[in-house]
Amino acid sequence: MHDVIIIGAGPAGLSTAFWCDELGLDTLVLEQAEQVGGQLHRVYNPIENYLGLKARNGQELLANFTKDLDAAEFDLWTQVDVESADLKARRISLRSGEELQTIAIVIATGVTARELGVPGEKEFIGKGMIESGTRDRQLFAGKDVCVVGGGDAAVENALLLAEVCPTVTVVHRGKKLRARREFAERLQPNNRITVFTESVLTRILGNEEIEAVEIQRKGGLKPFQLAVGGVLIRIGVKPRTELFREQIETDEKGYIAVNHQQETSASMVFAVGDVSNPVAPTISGATGAGATAAKVIASRLTAR
Ligand SMILES: Cc1cc2nc3c(=O)[nH]c(=O)nc-3n(C[C@H](O)[C@H](O)[C@H](O)COP(=O)(O)OP(=O)(O)OC[C@H]3O[C@@H](n4cnc5c(N)ncnc54)[C@H](O)[C@@H]3O)c2cc1C
């Protein structure tokens, strides 16, 4: 029996564990990936908005986090496959057959990139799918590429790729791009970038590697093909809450509802970080929420 079990070891889960340890709580962290850090592994740009600490990328910030965690005494299990979580009973079953019982559960499972769900998307991973404009730019230099999405992340990546790619075609479902003005304004004078609004990418085609995409424009009779050597998809994220649905309150997109103390609708079940923050997901928000949850849990346990 642990005092606290934290599911997820991104910035939110790690911060919760750090604070729980400092407050003397017997804590176990369950992480499904091989390494802790969550989305920090996908941040290739400099992080300049975490107060007091600048980092060249997510890995560097994570190295700073883990340095501080070296002396902590919480248990961390990585590559753990949680099969189910009974939030009312506060019991967690692992695919390995183990059953874990705890006084408090903290859900820190974050978000994952939304998929288009079109043929070719999975098949061409590592064969033309671009993960990041920052990281993969040189690999795709000289190739025509397609970017799907109309928000900040899509447009920022299109601009980065246009520095080295002869053409960048942005395909966006909506009538207007959603990207902030500063990005959208930089698109117009860029003659390497073409934007197709009210359009959807319907297939990714190729043999060994991506060779073309198929695009359906609104009002177009049938899809047309465009030759490209790379595709980057940035159509938003979704919360990782499949394990907990129907047991706690969420919004319509699946984000967990919490109060100011990070409490969910289930007793002694807390949620921290992006999984409960659809509006302003940030590293500082995630680490702050972890501190709040830990302090509230500690005060509840001493009051028992
Ligand atoms: C490209 C990019 C750039 C960014 N730049 C910035 C920036 O400059 N500044 C900023 O503040 N923020 C930035 N962010 C956002 C920031 O990374 C997130 O807000 C932050 O990582 C959220 O932390 P989290 O712990 O809530 O979730 P995550 O980082 O998503 O971590 C969740 C963890 O939970 C684990 N998990 C999920 N499901 C399970 C399960 N069932 N069992 C066990 N473990 C599970 C995951 O494997 C993961 O390790 C950026 C994000 C991206 C992708």
Side-chain angles (χ1 to χ4, degrees):
M1 170 75 120
H2 294 273
D3 291 335
V4 190
I5 293 184
I6 299 162
I7 309 176
L14 290 176
S15 167
T16 313
F18 176 74
W19 275 90
C20 283
D21 182 64
E22 181 160 290
L23 295 164
L25 303 175
D26 177 354
T27 306
L28 169 64
V29 183
L30 305 175
E31 168 56 54
Q32 73 178 18
E34 219 171 298
Q35 294 171 323
V36 303
Q39 290 171 66
L40 292 184
H41 293 284
R42 295 180 46 224
V43 183
Y44 303 105
N45 49 291
I47 297 176
E48 290 167 339
N49 43 30
Y50 191 77
L51 188 63
L53 195 57
K54 297 223 185 311
R56 270 174 297 172
N57 49 42
Q59 293 285 350
E60 190 172 288
L61 187 66
L62 178 60
N64 276 297
F65 283 1
T66 49
K67 206 164 57 192
D68 275 350
L69 293 173
D70 277 349
E73 287 181 355
F74 59 82
D75 291 324
L76 167 68
W77 298 357
T78 54
Q79 291 181 286
V80 168
D81 201 353
V82 176
E83 186 173 58
S84 64
D86 182 338
L87 297 184
K88 206 164 171 201
R90 272 163 268 131
R91 198 168 39 243
I92 292 168
S93 310
L94 306 186
R95 196 90 54 194
S96 58
E98 234 157 323
E99 296 273 324
L100 306 168
Q101 187 70 50
T102 178
I103 300 172
I105 291 180
V106 180
I107 302 170
T109 46
V111 295
T112 187
R114 241 174 228 293
E115 289 163 1
L116 269 182
V118 299
E121 185 177 13
K122 288 209 168 76
E123 294 82 338
F124 288 111
I125 291 175
K127 299 173 185 169
M129 292 303 291
I130 307 172
E131 205 203 314
S132 153
T134 315
R135 189 193 67 173
D136 300 336
R137 208 159 21 153
Q138 288 316 322
L139 278 178
F140 288 86
K143 292 188 179 177
D144 298 313
V145 299
C146 175
V147 173
V148 184
D152 285 347
V155 173
E156 188 180 16
N157 276 284
L159 289 164
L160 281 168
L161 288 165
E163 288 171 15
V164 294
C165 299
T167 71
V168 178
T169 304
V170 177
V171 178
H172 176 50
R173 190 171 61 163
K175 264 192 182 160
K176 265 178 76 180
L177 295 176
R178 281 178 289 101
R180 66 178 103 129
R181 198 148 46 128
E182 146 205 356
F183 287 147
E185 278 175 359
R186 284 170 54 206
L187 279 185
Q188 276 144 18
N190 194 320
N191 56 17
R192 292 183 171 196
I193 302 179
T194 306
V195 181
F196 288 147
T197 53
E198 296 192 275
S199 304
V200 289
L201 187 147
T202 48
R203 268 200 303 166
I204 301 169
L205 307 157
N207 291 300
E208 293 302 302
E209 302 225 317
I210 292 176
E211 290 167 16
V213 288
E214 197 176 77
I215 298 168
Q216 174 72 60
R217 301 207 69 183
K218 190 179 170 193
L221 285 180
K222 51 182 190 167
F224 67 93
Q225 286 190 8
L226 180 77
V228 294
V231 176
L232 183 141
I233 298 171
R234 279 290 184 283
I235 52 169
V237 294
K238 58 178 181 195
R240 301 173 86 168
T241 45
E242 307 79 17
L243 279 171
F244 319 107
R245 296 247 171 100
E246 272 104 56
Q247 297 188 67
I248 39 173
E249 233 175 80
T250 63
D251 71 5
E252 69 286 356
K253 290 186 175 152
Y255 285 90
I256 299 173
V258 289
N259 63 15
H260 290 309
Q261 305 193 16
Q262 303 303 137
E263 291 170 301
T264 69
S265 57
S267 171
M268 290 305 276
V269 178
F270 298 75
V272 294
D274 286 12
V275 74
S276 57
N277 192 345
V279 178
T282 59
I283 303 163
S284 359
T287 54
T292 303
K295 292 203 85 165
V296 174
I297 294 168
S299 68
R300 295 285 150 76
L301 294 193
T302 39
R304 273 177 168 233

